Amino acid sequence: DGGITQSPKYLFRKEGQNVTLSCEQNLNHDAMYWYRQDPGQGLRLIYYSQIVNDFQKGDIAEGYSVSREKKESFPLTVTSAQKNPTAFYLCASSQPGSYEQYFGPGTRLTVT
Amino acid sequence: AQRVTQPEKLLSVFKGAPVELKCNYSYSGSPELFWYVQYSRQRLQLLLRHISRESIKGFTADLNKGETSFHLKKPFAQEEDSAMYYCALIDGNKLVFGAGTILRVKS
């Protein structure tokens, strides 16, 4: 079950600490996305990247940062500035010109 | 801003009953719409897109521009249809998702 991998599955952090979530894909997709999934709110876009070394803010980028140094990798850092970081985070990728997104298994982050 | 509304958080039906998961959208122009599904302990995946006008696992969805709707339908629900369903539309080069509807099919 390759494609997109996210690690770890569960992550626990203390408040005030930055934490980085991993997302790797071997689908040779140019575009990658980070979403946050909260009950009753669906998927909300945090950041996305259409190409290496370029990324754009989504609807809820505040308190998050990303990098896209390699095509295969799109790590998300949840900073201490994010007011409500406890959530389920999903990474996705897609081919240029296709809007079908392929999703990873997700990481559940708990900050206490 | 473009928006997708799924008015029902939970839809519970009996096996064999018809299913309709509602989706309404606001979009200026010709929308491109999708249904994604997340089964228990599985990844979110594409179910169908309106452009292809296909039927997947017995589900169909018709775009109604007059009513700005893209409801997902199945004539006879099966227990394995129980899942979270998301309606989504393309906005520029990204997808906008609705809040999702949990479908529970009871035996």
Side-chain angles (χ1 to χ4, degrees):
Chain A
D1 191 25
I4 299 185
T5 56
Q6 291 184 244
S7 60
K9 190 172 181 180
Y10 299 97
L11 193 51
F12 298 89
R13 280 294 182 271
K14 295 287 187 188
E15 198 173 313
Q17 293 179 334
N18 291 356
V19 59
T20 297
L21 281 60
S22 166
C23 178
E24 304 277 331
Q25 54 101 357
N26 62 5
L27 299 169
N28 201 33
H29 287 170
D30 284 307
M32 297 186 75
Y33 310 81
W34 272 106
Y35 294 91
R36 175 182 168 134
Q37 189 178 30
D38 295 285
Q41 297 196 57
L43 275 72
R44 293 182 291 167
L45 183 64
I46 303 172
Y47 268 98
Y48 63 105
S49 167
Q50 297 289 300
I51 199 166
V52 174
N53 292 322
D54 188 43
F55 48 82
Q56 288 80 40
K57 292 182 179 180
D59 301 317
I60 55 164
E62 187 176 346
Y64 299 97
S65 66
V66 293
S67 63
R68 188 84 189 278
E69 296 176 4
K70 297 187 300 182
K71 189 175 186 177
E72 303 79 19
S73 179
F74 190 41
L76 173 75
T77 297
V78 184
T79 75
S80 55
Q82 167 51 232
K83 292 185 174 60
N84 187 19
T86 293
F88 189 62
Y89 290 88
L90 282 170
C91 180
S93 70
S94 67
Q95 284 278 39
S98 168
Y99 291 100
E100 178 175 358
Q101 294 188 8
Y102 292 81
F103 284 82
T107 292
R108 186 166 297 282
L109 172 65
T110 302
V111 177
T112 57
Chain B
Q2 320 308 343
R3 195 167 60 217
V4 176
T5 303
Q6 294 179 251
E8 303 143 327
K9 286 187 179 178
L10 171 66
L11 182 64
S12 191
V13 302
F14 282 103
K15 179 181 169 182
V19 172
E20 182 178 69
L21 296 164
K22 295 188 186 329
C23 172
N24 290 91
Y25 65 89
S26 63
Y27 187 81
S28 51
S30 292
E32 196 166 341
L33 286 139
F34 304 82
W35 277 97
Y36 277 78
V37 61
Q38 190 170 27
Y39 300 102
S40 178
R41 287 185 286 279
Q42 292 188 31
R43 301 180 185 206
L44 189 62
Q45 58 188 292
L46 179 67
L47 179 63
L48 57 79
R49 68 198 81 186
H50 92 270
I51 276 183
S52 55
R53 300 186 64 81
E54 57 201 344
S55 172
I56 303 291
K57 299 184 179 183
F59 284 99
T60 58
D62 289 318
L63 179 61
N64 185 322
K65 290 185 180 180
E67 296 183 359
T68 60
S69 70
F70 187 56
H71 302 329
L72 184 67
K73 300 177 184 179
K74 185 170 182 176
F76 308 104
Q78 298 172 297
E79 288 180 73
E80 54 264 34
D81 296 328
S82 295
M84 171 72 92
Y85 291 81
Y86 290 100
C87 183
L89 64 74
I90 292 171
D91 180 15
N93 52 11
K94 56 190 171 87
L95 282 172
V96 176
F97 286 86
T101 298
I102 297 171
L103 174 64
R104 289 209 182 113
V105 181
K106 301 176 287 188
S107 57

